[in-house]
Amino acid sequence: MLSRRGLLAMAGAAPLVWSLSEGGSASAAVAPPADLGVQLWMVRQSMAQDFPGTLKALADLGVRKVELAGAPDLSGAELRAAFDAAGLACVSGHLPILQMTDAELDHRLAYAREIGMTTVAAPMPGFAGLLEVAPADRFAALLAHPLTADDWRWNADRLNQIGDKARSAGVAIAYHNHNVEFADVGGQTAMDLLLERVDPAQAHFQFDVGNAVLGGADPFDLLARHPGRFRSAHLKDWRAPLQPTTRLASPASAAFGQGVIDWARWRRASAEAGIAISFIERENMPVGEEVAAAGQALQYFTTLQGNRA
């Protein structure tokens, strides 16, 4: 497998445009697909070292839209200023909204709007008793709590409850899947339970393709069976061979085009399904390779788009 080192220049490089001609000539250059953004979680180590520099490096790659996760603990106004300075729009964010009380949720929705988000995605589920735990201890409590079918029903109902509150704040609510949602909970997967019980008028879904495959699901079948329910996506891939599991897992990630997912097929299917924006998210990258991995992904999907034209 080719190393990602040296694929792209880091911060300070000129905005990237890639040639689609066999010899690498600049005569047939195209810009990265407009519907691709970057999930900031994949560059969290770089942001910890140099937040504005990392944002600039992404912008220099041609990135224009990002999704918040893993950024420094700054105010909404400070984050908005940093994104504006880099020429980036933070259009979406992962906030643990299913682990928040109503009062906590009001505060975080205001924070999301201050940054400029139009969507807030729940990156993980919760359960009823979790809201009685101190905020700093909630993640550990979630990991220690095996989720039942009733817990997943609670999550669906909670998404329905907060939909109006979020809409009043000017943002849409989404649910982001990992692999645990594809575990069986009484004859159906937790994901199917959520899709059946969540009111489409209150919340939509963000399709993490890599996580679905890790959970043993067929992403194309899931997309076809639930038209209109997925409005955004996360793109990540895994090295072969992949052992599917619904338990917490962190397998080795693959560079795009070198993993287990047919991305040409996915891009066609997601466009037909109306997914408006997709965020690149490589997992488990060394800090020195995070930004370069975003560049490799943009290059791959740009070439894929050009070959389809």
Side-chain angles (χ1 to χ4, degrees):
M1 186 173 294
L2 295 175
S3 170
R4 295 171 302 277
R5 292 182 177 91
L7 281 172
L8 296 168
M10 297 288 284
L16 293 183
V17 222
W18 295 288
S19 170
L20 301 176
S21 62
E22 185 176 85
S25 165
S27 61
V30 296
D35 69 319
L36 286 188
V38 169
Q39 222 291 350
L40 292 177
W41 184 253
M42 76 170 288
V43 293
R44 63 191 180 280
Q45 299 172 104
S46 300
M47 291 192 298
Q49 292 183 355
D50 182 357
F51 182 50
T54 301
L55 296 184
K56 181 182 184 300
L58 292 176
D60 285 346
L61 293 176
V63 177
R64 292 296 173 262
K65 295 179 181 179
V66 295
E67 182 175 60
L68 183 70
D73 186 15
L74 301 173
S75 70
E78 290 169 326
L79 287 171
R80 178 62 182 267
F83 291 131
D84 287 347
L88 298 173
C90 183
V91 298
S92 180
H94 278 198
L95 300 174
I97 54 178
L98 291 172
Q99 300 175 25
M100 292 181 181
T101 65
D102 285 348
E104 291 165 346
L105 183 62
D106 286 338
H107 174 72
R108 297 309 278 178
L109 290 175
Y111 162 87
R113 286 303 302 151
E114 192 170 23
I115 294 170
M117 296 181 201
T118 56
T119 299
V120 170
M124 61 190 75
F127 60 92
L130 190 64
L131 302 184
E132 300 172 8
V133 177
D137 298 328
R138 288 176 188 167
F139 182 65
L142 175 62
L143 294 181
H145 180 89
L147 293 171
T148 66
D150 283 341
D151 290 324
W152 288 110
R153 293 186 188 98
W154 180 90
N155 279 282
D157 293 344
R158 182 64 175 159
L159 287 167
N160 290 336
Q161 290 168 4
I162 65 180
D164 285 333
K165 181 185 289 286
R167 195 159 40 250
S168 296
V171 299
I173 291 293
Y175 183 84
H176 172 91
N177 67 276
H178 284 80
N179 62 322
V180 297
E181 288 83 0
F182 299 96
D184 183 273
V185 287
Q188 65 178 158
T189 67
M191 190 68 179
D192 281 337
L193 186 156
L194 290 172
L195 284 158
E196 287 179 4
R197 197 173 180 97
V198 171
D199 182 349
Q202 301 291 53
H204 62 276
F205 289 80
Q206 183 178 75
F207 201 138
D208 191 305
V209 189
N211 285 344
V213 170
L214 178 60
D218 178 341
F220 304 101
D221 174 70
L222 189 64
L223 195 63
R225 286 192 291 112
H226 299 282
R229 302 303 301 280
F230 300 97
R231 299 185 194 170
S232 65
H234 272 209
L235 311 184
K236 65 165 68 90
D237 208 344
W238 315 109
R239 295 180 190 172
L242 177 70
Q243 181 61 50
T245 179
T246 57
R247 296 180 179 275
L248 289 177
S250 186
S253 70
F256 288 93
Q258 300 176 26
V260 301
I261 297 171
D262 183 344
W263 289 111
R265 183 184 175 194
W266 173 260
R267 291 289 281 168
R268 291 191 299 269
S270 64
E272 292 169 0
I275 290 180
I277 186 166
S278 296
F279 297 100
I280 297 157
E281 186 191 22
R282 281 288 304 273
E283 297 276 8
N284 307 322
M285 299 297 300
V287 60
E289 298 183 27
E290 288 179 333
V291 174
Q296 186 275 331
L298 289 173
Q299 182 181 26
Y300 173 79
F301 284 111
T302 300
T303 302
L304 202 62
Q305 172 180 268
N307 289 342
R308 191 173 66 243

